[in-house]
Amino acid sequence: MTDSKYFTTTKKGEIFELKAELNSDKKEKKKEAVKKVIASMTVGKDVSALFPDVVNCMQTDNLELKKLVYLYLMNYAKSQPDMAIMAVNTFVKDCEDPNPLIRALAVRTMGCIRVDKITEYLCEPLRKCLKDEDPYVRKTAAVCVAKLHDINAQLVEDQGFLDTLKDLISDSNPMVVANAVAALSEIAESHPSSNLLDLNPQSINKLLTALNECTEWGQIFILDCLANYTPKDDREAQSICERVTPRLSHANSAVVLSAVKVLMKFMEMLSKDLDYYGTLLKKLAPPLVTLLSAEPELQYVALRNINLIVQKRPEILKHEMKVFFVKYNDPIYVKLEKLDIMIRLASQANIAQVLAELKEYATEVDVDFVRKAVRAIGRCAIKVEQSAERCVSTLLDLIQTKVNYVVQEAIVVIKDIFRKYPNKYESVIATLCENLDSLDEPEARAAMIWIVGEYAERIDNADELLESFLEGFHDESTQVQLQLLTGIVKLFLKKPTETQELVQQVLSLATQDSDNPDLRDRGYIYWRLLSTDPVAAKEVVLAEKPLISEETDLIEPTLLDELICYIGTLASVYHKPPSAFVEGGRGVVHKSLPPRTASSESAESPETAPAGAPPGEQPDVIPAQGDLLGDLLNLDLGPPVSSPPLTTSSVQMGAVDLLGGGLDSLIGGTNFVAPPTAAVPASLGAPIGSGLSDLFDLTSGVGTLSGSYVAPKAVWLPAMKAKGLEISGTFTRQVGSISMDLQLTNKALQVMTDFAIQFNRNSFGLAPAAPLQVHAPLSPNQTVEISLPLSTVGSVMKMEPLNNLQVAVKNNIDVFYFSTLYPLHILFVEDGKMDRQMFLATWKDIPNENEAQFQIRDCPLNAEAATSKLQSSNIFTVAKRNVEGQDMLYQSLKLTNGIWVLAELRVQPGNPSCTLSLKCRAPEVSQHVYQAYETILKN
Amino acid sequence: MIGGLFIYNHKGEVLISRVYRDDIGSQAADSAVFSSSGPFLGERLGGSVRRNAVDAFRVNVIHARQQVRSPVTNIARTSFFHVKRSNIWLAAVTKQNVNAAMVFEFLYKMCDVMAAYFGKISEENIKNNFVLIYELLDEILDFGYPQNSETGALKTFITQQGIKSQTKEEQSQITSQVTGQIGWRREGIKYRRNELFLDVLESVNLLMSPQGQVLSAHVSGRVVMKSYLSGMPECKFGMNDKIVIEKQGKGTADETSKSGKQSIAIDDCTFHQCVRLSKFDSERSISFIPPDGEFELMRYRTTKDIILPFRVIPLVREVGRTKLEVKVVIKSNFKPSLLAQKIEVRIPTPLNTSGVQVICMKGKAKYKASENAIVWKIKRMAGMKESQISAEIELLPTNDKKKWARPPISMNFEVPFAPSGLKVRYLKVFEPKLNYSDHDVIKWVRYIGRSGIYETRC
């Protein structure tokens, strides 16, 4: 006899019959009737009319019947709240039943009846059950607190259930502990500020003990909870890791992944020099590989996580390439993920194998997979230079297959290869051009147009090729239109004589017939450029492009760190923070990796402060589409484009003529909108306040009023190069603040107004701390002196040479660029005097290869004079010694970004040259510090 | 945590719906299930808005035109995890950032539990056991938190016979088992004959180049144990794990050289939850109290020194545009006293094959047009033997420019040894409370090596 027969009756009057059966005296009949009711309910029939009759069956000692009635109650209580009260008595009674299974069932079901009126009655039974003698009842009650909290959070707090729940963490039964942890973790998520879980070394120890004893699910709850804890130092982190590693051999993949999460997070705190760190790295690889033999759905989750892990710590899986090779019968979602990881792991050592595999994949059936495989070949070429040639020839083979989507994909990646290795593989262009007609996807068309435009001088019929695209200009996607516009302008600049007509055509298509603002603006910019200064146009449009970075699709580092904290969860599967897909307040707390604590070391060596870390340790990330906008807004005025020479040569005039007078009339004279450079000063104001106050804070304690050495002003921008504006200047440091003293002279015939200044990113983050204030318009032949305060809180980029500063100055006439070198001593801060002990310790600590020695010639100073001179420029003498008639001065100085430089200056009375030894953790500054010494000592 | 769990049939009709959290909507799945009720009823029950989520799964996943692209789908901020067993879809639904690995492990476990109760997971069986399934779901998932889901424990108190009134001791025994440290075994089990069976089941995977170079090879193995032991026996399992042998070998130096060869390097292994992991981590010893009946004690993976039972030597020659000549030799590479069984070699043929002539010395070979392959079957083959097949394939002339991709030749077989070289050294049983000793237990060990993906490119 089976249960499916309950689904069969559909006749009318059924409800009446059921009612009669429910009220029958015979137990068996009652049970049959309730089963029928449940079946009807599952089917979607409304059997709520039977509520009182079903509730009447509740009082029974038959557990099966009771469960069925409870199931009914859970479904209908919400729609019949008044009648649900009828059940309360039975619940309360059941919570006192001698059978623990029934007590637990009652408290479990009560929590599922989400009716406000019932929750009041739930409190007392729940309180008892939380302290029940039977662990089964307690573990059920623990979950019930979470249920109740979901219905009425205030009630749970008022009744003190949270404290009882916390006590359960110390319960003797591991499953009770696990459920209490799960419930508390969830409740804590909706109260981010409360210190509900209050993890401390004692409670962590309890959890770790329970970890060994509870069910697989309990282990997951506990591990996920542990991951939220931040150990106080590296020792604690290591001891937790040691106790968590055995979990890596658990058969349940979720236990393994949660353990991996804890380890990945705590590893952040361990020093890389530690033996244990290496051991841990080695221990992580095998379990991750084993996850790949799980069922496909879990493989997918594992692969998405491995993708994160490989980005965070590539060393873990670098030797495991083979396990990511795609199997013939893997589901497509597994195949695609494996491919991603293969590319991430590709290196010179394994590239041959990887390429052989990718070539196989490119002949598979699934279109998405094949495309991704082709794209992967291109990425290998860009990542591993040695393989580029083989990749290109593989791609050419694939193009020969003439399979449409393969060809298109190949062209897109070849474009990237051209950008990475310019002037190397252009011989293949001919083959590419053969396939021009078959391209129907925007990305491929745009890539092809880019190639034609970029290499127009090598393609004889480039103009014909581009013209063929122009016919259907308005039907193309924006991507193609933009590329076509740029491509044709490039072509024109390369072959001006034959393509004048073409360029006019595309400019007018872009500016007049298009509704797309991006396209129109770009059209106008080109037009303006070409009409005013074709030489400049050439410099801009045909400027050398920066090489593309090797790694693409990398997750942005802060997001990556956050996602590492979410290993195993949905966030790690989606590669999105929980706030992106979870509604409301739950789970939107930002998690971050713990900082590395080398507690004892950092006190001795301030050099390890954040600024000391060389920039560029993280691979550059090509931002996703969404981030691009932000980046554009932050763009500095002047990317380091060398200033266009303003020579009114015949070439220029000729070029303008080529465009003909038609252009001017098209533009419509004065209507032309100037490029939006006017927006620049607005962004300058922000950092002033904080920057300045910081600087004042620095100086307040020091009290040295003397300023450091100031070099005479030098001409930075000759009037010739800046349409009459001459700028000369120097840098000063006084009372802890740096400023740039400028002298602006107007050597032109017209009045200059609207001055603004901006710096490109530089090695020490120098940035104007206030706008450039020129109060009155600068009349012809007038000179004005301005002191521009600088801050060191700007964005940092290492420059070559280190002290290079690129500046853009704007006035009503134009924008001008120049670069200058600033003396390093303006960056020496006032509190740069190191304590003797510390000096000794640090000197020993810095490896000898970081030491640099210089000779300062023709400097007839004695030790005292040198000391005082250097002191006024914030180079402090820590100690002085006399060895064999030579004076040894031990000196220290600190740069604005926290880098310490230690120096030993050997002065020999009577000898005009002295010897300078410098030690610094960032040895690249030494050369410049030496130059600063020389300047200071000689002036 | 998991907000709800639904079971659908292949048409997308809901067979089982259990909702744990309000956020996903309670009557979500109460749509026309067995096609007996009109849509308005469902509407009245739960409101159409709530139903949307589960209908969305039906529309976007079950009825999707394309092949499923991911086992996790996010529709309208609701995440659906699904697994499929034959025609049946199991979907777990949530609106939170749950532990995804846990949800899938739970769904698999749920399938295991159902299979243990009523056999195959089919629409028929699910309908027949819906009350039981609801009861199980109530027990193993509370408010979306997975609870003890070991069938051994569940069967003690979830029965469809109705629970006979238990004594107080029995009740507390049940609850302590369900919540206890040893949730997978109940006390008081008695057998007249204490017996255990160990199966070492391995699947050997190979990818070989046409020139006979091993591109990749690995063995994934499982040790499955069937135990019929009384009481709460403490077991210790030993195998020829290189790390253990070398550690022991330190005392007796000459034994190391002898046994060193026979030991194997295990890349990684995972254990059933009954195994004490911390003990394995510190001493590398495998000790446990086994569940009653059959369970998987461990899984492992090896990549070094694998015995490849067969070698396939392919030779493909294209004779003009319309003919292929294929010759394949297989060599068995194990002790001559052993017999391999169920040998099958699958030689792929081009899509434009018009006819095939096959000659083989042993077994039977047939061209199967529907599978685009020549299938060569041999019932038995002893070790250190060789056999060959040759075939002439006639091709239809085509103008398809795309070259035939030459898929690899694959092989299936079963051999009575472990290709990884794993050997069971001992399985000791201690039960101090009852009066039987390790010697009284009858133990059986069996080794089976099967082909996993065993391919040779040609």
Side-chain angles (χ1 to χ4, degrees), chain A residues 213-230:
Chain A
E213 294 165 354
C214 61
T215 64
E216 46 194 328
W217 314 115
Q219 297 185 14
I220 301 169
F221 302 149
I222 292 178
L223 287 168
D224 284 352
C225 174
L226 274 179
N228 290 328
Y229 176 64
T230 310

Side-chain angles (χ1 to χ4, degrees), chain A residues 4 7 67 78 114 134 136 147 179 186 216-217 249 251 253 290 297 322 333 368 568 570-571 574, chain B residues 21-22 34 36 69 79 97-100 105 108-109 128 135 139 142 145 147 149 175 215 268 270-271:
Chain A
S4 59
F7 290 98
K67 281 184 180 173
K78 204 150 194 191
R114 306 171 59 87
D134 194 292
Y136 184 74
K147 292 178 186 169
N179 276 4
E186 185 169 347
E216 46 194 328
W217 314 115
S249 314
S253 308
T290 298
E297 291 88 2
K322 275 188 183 173
Y333 49 80
D368 282 352
L570 263 181
Y574 294 146
Chain B
R21 306 253 168 161
D22 264 1
F34 306 117
S36 55
R69 298 312 260 198
S79 298
N97 181 31
V98 295
N99 188 320
E105 283 284 4
Y108 301 144
K109 192 57 154 237
N128 283 342
E135 199 176 337
E139 187 58 46
D142 191 4
Y145 301 119
Q147 304 291 306
S149 47
T175 58
L215 296 174
D268 189 37
T270 60
F271 296 99

